Amino acid sequence: AQSVTQPDIHITVSEGASLELRCNYSYGATPYLFWYVQSPGQGLQLLLKYFSGDTLVQGIKGFEAEFKRSQSSFNLRKPSVHWSDAAEYFCAVGAREGGKLIFGQGTELSVKP
Amino acid sequence: KAGVTQTPRYLIKTRGQQVTLSCSPISGHRSVSWYQQTPGQGLQFLFEYFSETQRNKGNFPGRFSGRQFSNSRSEMNVSTLELGDSALYLCASSIDRNTEAFFGQGTRLTVV
C-alpha cells in the first residue's frame, strides 16, 4: 500500500539550531516528492519538490531536502531555524502520471527562543 | 498572480443540510484537487478534476461530490451533513496533472 510516514509528531528545537524532519514513503515506483508547511488555520505552502535529477533539492525559506532512493526517504533540513519556522510540516508523495497526493501525518515544529 | 481562492472561509451548518464550497484555481492551472483535513485522519484526498472530468476519487461516501467548470473553477458539495464532516477543506490547483500543487487557504466547515 502507498503510504508516507513522518515518525516525529512533534519536535522542539532552539532558535539558531539545525533541523531535520524525517519522511519515509512506501510506493510502487519512484514518486514525486514534496514538503509543505502549514501555519495554524492556514492552507499548505509548498516548500520544495523532487521530480528527478539532483537528489538534493533546495526550496524556499532556506530549506533543503535529500531524496535517498535506497532508504525510501526524503528528509527535510534547515541549517539554522528561525522562530517564524514554527508550524506543521507535511511530507507528500504523488504519482508521476498525476492524481492524488498522499500525505504523512505531519510534524509539528516548535522553536524555543 | 493571485493564488488559489476558496470561498467561503468559514461555514457553520446543521446536520442534515447540504453545503457547496467553491475554489478558483491559479490562472492557467487546469487541474484542481480537493482534500479534507481533520485532526484524527489528517489530510485525505477527495477528488481530482482536469478538463472538467473527474480523474480520481478518494474513499469518501457518495454524499461528497464535485465538479469543474470550463474556466477550471471547481465546486464541491456535501449533502446530508454529518458531525464528522466538520473539517478544513482544502483545494489545490496545478498547471497540469503531474505538476506541483498549490493550495488555497481552505474552508473551515463546522457541522452542529
Side-chain angles (χ1 to χ4, degrees):
Chain A
Q2 301 164 350
S3 64
V4 177
T5 301
Q6 292 179 245
D8 304 305
I9 295 172
H10 187 223
I11 283 182
T12 299
V13 300
S14 297
E15 191 166 17
S18 64
L19 171 70
E20 182 168 25
L21 302 183
R22 296 182 290 164
C23 172
N24 292 94
Y25 66 88
S26 173
Y27 207 82
T30 300
Y32 289 160
L33 296 155
F34 308 88
W35 275 99
Y36 286 88
V37 62
Q38 185 179 38
S39 296
Q42 301 298 310
L44 302 174
Q45 182 182 22
L46 179 65
L47 284 176
L48 46 76
K49 63 184 185 287
Y50 173 77
F51 283 175
S52 63
D54 192 347
T55 57
L56 184 63
V57 294
Q58 303 297 321
I60 62 171
K61 304 184 179 187
F63 285 93
E64 66 177 27
E66 186 172 12
F67 169 55
K68 292 186 178 180
R69 186 191 307 272
S70 61
Q71 297 176 22
S72 297
S73 69
F74 189 55
N75 294 349
L76 182 72
R77 301 194 294 248
K78 186 170 185 177
S80 177
V81 169
H82 187 262
W83 64 265
S84 60
D85 293 324
E88 191 155 21
Y89 292 79
F90 293 92
C91 179
V93 301
R96 289 180 172 266
E97 62 270 21
K100 67 180 181 181
L101 292 176
I102 299 170
F103 286 88
Q105 285 296 98
T107 297
E108 185 179 354
L109 173 65
S110 298
V111 181
K112 287 191 301 187
Chain B
K1 204 175 203 181
V4 178
T5 303
Q6 292 188 244
T7 55
R9 288 292 311 275
Y10 303 93
L11 267 178
I12 300 176
K13 290 287 188 177
T14 304
R15 269 183 305 174
Q17 287 186 313
Q18 72 153 11
V19 67
T20 299
L21 312 182
S22 179
C23 173
S24 293
I26 294 171
S27 178
H29 285 201
R30 299 184 297 163
S31 178
V32 173
S33 296
W34 289 88
Y35 293 82
Q36 181 196 65
Q37 185 177 26
T38 59
Q41 299 299 314
L43 283 151
Q44 293 186 288
F45 170 77
L46 280 158
F47 347 86
E48 177 208 5
Y49 287 91
F50 182 79
S51 295
E52 302 177 65
T53 303
Q54 187 179 93
R55 305 292 177 148
N56 272 292
K57 189 178 193 304
N59 188 25
F60 279 82
R63 300 185 296 107
F64 291 81
S65 62
R67 58 178 175 169
Q68 186 181 34
F69 302 96
S70 58
N71 62 358
S72 294
R73 193 177 69 84
S74 178
E75 289 180 347
M76 67 164 281
N77 185 78
V78 188
S79 62
T80 320
L81 284 165
E82 300 177 359
L83 296 179
D85 297 333
S86 295
L88 181 66
Y89 289 88
L90 292 163
C91 169
S93 77
S94 53
I95 292 174
D96 210 327
R97 294 191 66 212
N98 58 353
T99 55
E100 63 267 37
F102 296 89
F103 283 78
Q105 297 282 69
T107 294
R108 171 73 63 185
L109 172 65
T110 302
V111 182
V112 298

